[in-house]
Amino acid sequence: MTSSRRNRTYYTPNDFPERGYAHHLGDPGTFPFTRGIHPTMYRQKPWTIREFAGFGTAEETNKRFHLLLAEGQMGLSVAFDMPTLMGVDSDSPRAEGEVGRCGVAIDTLQDMEDLFKKISLDRISTSMTINGPAIVMLAFYIACAQKQGASLRRLKGTLQNDILKEYIAQREWIFPPRPSLKLVVDVIEHCTHHLPLWNTISISGYHIREAGSTAAQELAFTLADGFTYVEESLKRGLAVDHFAPRLSFFFNAHLNFLEEIAKFRAARRIWAKKMRNEYKAKKKRSWLLRFHTQTAGCTLTRQQPENNIVRTAYEALSAVLGGTQSLHTNSMDEQLALPTEKAVRIALRTQQILLHEIGITEIVDPLAGSYAIECLTDRLEHRAEEYFRRIQEKGGVVPALEQGFFQKEIAHAARCYQREIEQKKRIIVGVNAYLQKEESEIPLLTIGAGIERKQVARLKRVRKMRSPQKVRQALEHLGEAAKTEENLMESLVEAAHAYATLGEIVEKLKRVFGEYHQKPIF
Amino acid sequence: MMKKKKKIVLAKPGLDGHDRGIQIVASALKEGGMDVIYLGLRQTPEMIVNAAIQKKANVIAVSVLTGSHMTVFRKMMKLLKEKGIKEMLVTGGGIIPEADQKKLSKLGVGRLFGPGTPLEEIVSYIKNWKGSVS
């Protein structure tokens, strides 16, 4: 159990008060959606199998995308390299050694065009995992779609765009919290008007959990972030029923099987109640918490890596029993390197086995009514509410993160978890029990050293072929617009078409917004 | 003579912010009785080496999860050599394939610890390392 309190041996009807089925649970597809957002769930529409991929140059990742699509994957999910995630160009000294290492390098629109070569953007759905410079990457994507001749109104996908959890957990921010939040709302506003099928944000608990939080903290902090985005969008003057249907979520599927299922169910109920009762949303779609799930990377072990296939399968099963809309299953070798094609294929097959072979798609929310599951769901909801109160007392999410509240809570939980492993109170097979003298060796993916040189050369070519005057003009427009309250999306799309680099754009914005530093906690 | 406390400079080089591991290691080293200076995120090899020299540290330990370990360690070793520092243990952890660990070991880098290493192993390795402190 990753939460601090231990479960009871068994649960009975006395463990939770009678609150009425319709009010507290409801049928699948009805308020408060504890049991799922659709009445038919996977019977009618299976979850989207979406493996996160990206490495090297855009051309190489494009090849992996074509492979995944050919293997039956339904949507694409782009992993960017660290320089891209931090808004740094591949030819900057700060990018040295990191180009194309843990994702694909995207410096300009040209890279985006190559990434989606022979993939029609109006026919697929694309998830882009990026936060600090998320709005810039969306501008590149929009510009790319325009060049392909795709209709923006048909673009489907998700931009992670969740900056709050960066300050809370993953620490990949560029600007200070307040201007960052402004950019998030710019995306929400622009997409609400122009990209109606686009998920404007993926409010993420995944990274909070990976940083070491408990299930209750993941649930509470993620939803608190979600409410903050809702409130900021309302302040912008957007109508709740216009933007809320396109907010999406992203959770972690950790090892504690039953608690995880309860977490997903609790998340849906809390969100639905709050959206209807507090934010007065009228549309059903605004009440729905739709989410992507990824199995927990932090539960994979370097020792006996094949065991990770089994861990991942159980985690994936909890996500499916919890009613996820899409799923990424990790590969067995990710504690050692980026995954090989074979490891990725096994991860993909794990989902296909769940989908087709074990009958789990036949019945919606089959664990409902289990004393234990319902009691755990209630308990997680209560703990989340306790956290909401504490966050409120600190003045809301932004002041709380500026005070280091979340960071300290998570660091404490991470230390407790580690201590339990060290003291063997928590057994991890192959790590603190059932050790093997000879570790099995599996083949690993190596990223050629030539990648960085190749990408820098690509960028140099773009810098040469573009019109310096157009770039200068576009960046000037952007700089001026950034000083006002104006939505920056249009200026960014203009800069993308001028082939301004990500780094040039981010530097321009830094001059207006400033940078942010956080005191390390340990 | 009383043994002086070992002084260790910890850092996250590069652009990555995943610091769960290094925070936990920092706490464990502190509990293990060492003088721990954690520089935090986004440190360049220059910043780390300079800080270690300035603070008169015995040990540099960095966490690299992004695959940029070869660049980072090579640079730090080169800088230390240029500055004539020989008695500094350079160690660390992260996602570092064994083949690369061997290459780095030849350059004089100390042990590198992967995921799942017991904290005790890291603490006792650093504690027992016979450096300049006596």
Side-chain angles (χ1 to χ4, degrees), chain A residues 211-373:
Chain A
S213 84
T214 62
Q217 289 168 342
E218 178 193 356
L219 176 68
F221 299 170
T222 309
L223 291 176
D225 288 349
F227 302 141
T228 307
Y229 295 123
V230 169
E231 284 161 22
E232 290 295 314
S233 303
L234 291 173
K235 277 188 217 156
R236 178 72 63 98
L238 295 172
V240 67
D241 283 319
H242 289 167
F243 70 84
R246 283 291 150 198
L247 305 175
S248 64
F249 286 81
F250 173 22
F251 289 108
N252 193 300
H254 212 279
L255 284 170
N256 196 280
F257 188 69
L258 299 176
E259 187 184 42
E260 291 303 279
I261 297 167
K263 177 186 77 184
F264 301 125
R265 301 173 84 247
R268 270 193 300 270
R269 183 158 71 208
I270 298 170
W271 185 254
K273 284 205 255 179
K274 192 102 165 176
M275 291 308 287
R276 193 178 79 170
N277 302 340
E278 191 160 332
Y279 300 118
K280 309 289 176 211
K282 299 269 183 315
K283 269 203 227 159
K284 181 179 162 188
R285 272 204 70 103
S286 305
W287 306 332
L288 301 183
L289 181 142
R290 298 169 301 127
F291 68 101
H292 172 69
T293 307
Q294 180 169 338
T295 55
C298 62
T299 64
L300 303 180
T301 67
R302 175 179 48 117
Q303 297 83 349
Q304 305 173 34
E306 296 90 341
N307 296 345
N308 292 327
I309 298 172
V310 183
R311 292 190 179 96
T312 296
Y314 289 132
E315 291 168 353
L317 180 57
S318 76
V320 170
L321 289 172
T324 195
Q325 273 60 63
S326 61
L327 181 60
H328 167 103
T329 33
N330 292 324
S331 301
M332 64 166 157
D333 52 356
E334 295 191 60
Q335 289 286 19
L336 300 155
L338 283 194
T340 60
E341 266 181 30
K342 180 168 183 190
V344 171
R345 194 172 287 118
I346 294 171
L348 184 63
R349 296 286 181 255
T350 303
Q351 292 203 39
Q352 290 161 338
I353 291 167
L354 281 179
L355 181 59
H356 298 293
E357 296 187 14
I358 67 167
I360 208 68
T361 56
E362 287 296 302
I363 298 171
V364 182
D365 191 29
L367 297 182
S370 142
Y371 303 134
I373 285 288

Side-chain angles (χ1 to χ4, degrees), chain A residues 417-473:
Chain A
Y417 188 86
Q418 187 62 33
R419 196 170 304 130
E420 285 169 20
I421 295 174
E422 305 275 328
Q423 295 170 350
K424 298 195 184 178
K425 284 183 184 153
R426 177 189 298 274
I427 294 300
I428 310 284
V429 173
V431 173
N432 61 3
Y434 314 107
L435 310 190
Q436 228 163 267
K437 276 219 177 74
E438 286 292 304
E439 278 293 338
S440 53
E441 287 219 11
I442 55 171
L444 297 182
L445 180 80
T446 48
I447 308 273
I451 293 283
E452 192 154 321
R453 241 176 308 143
K454 239 201 249 170
Q455 180 60 20
V456 169
R458 284 170 56 87
L459 177 55
K460 289 234 153 71
R461 271 202 301 279
V462 176
R463 286 196 201 271
K464 232 180 241 165
M465 68 86 185
R466 64 188 189 170
S467 149
Q469 198 198 341
K470 266 194 190 157
V471 176
R472 204 169 39 243
Q473 260 174 14

Side-chain angles (χ1 to χ4, degrees), chain A residues 27-42:
Chain A
D27 283 345
T30 64
F31 192 86
F33 307 99
T34 313
R35 307 199 55 195
I37 61 168
H38 297 302
T40 53
M41 286 302 286
Y42 307 132

Side-chain angles (χ1 to χ4, degrees), chain B residues 13-32:
Chain B
L15 299 167
D16 176 38
H18 289 85
D19 57 1
R20 174 180 181 173
I22 198 165
Q23 281 185 7
I24 285 180
V25 171
S27 305
L29 291 170
K30 204 167 150 190
E31 281 163 27

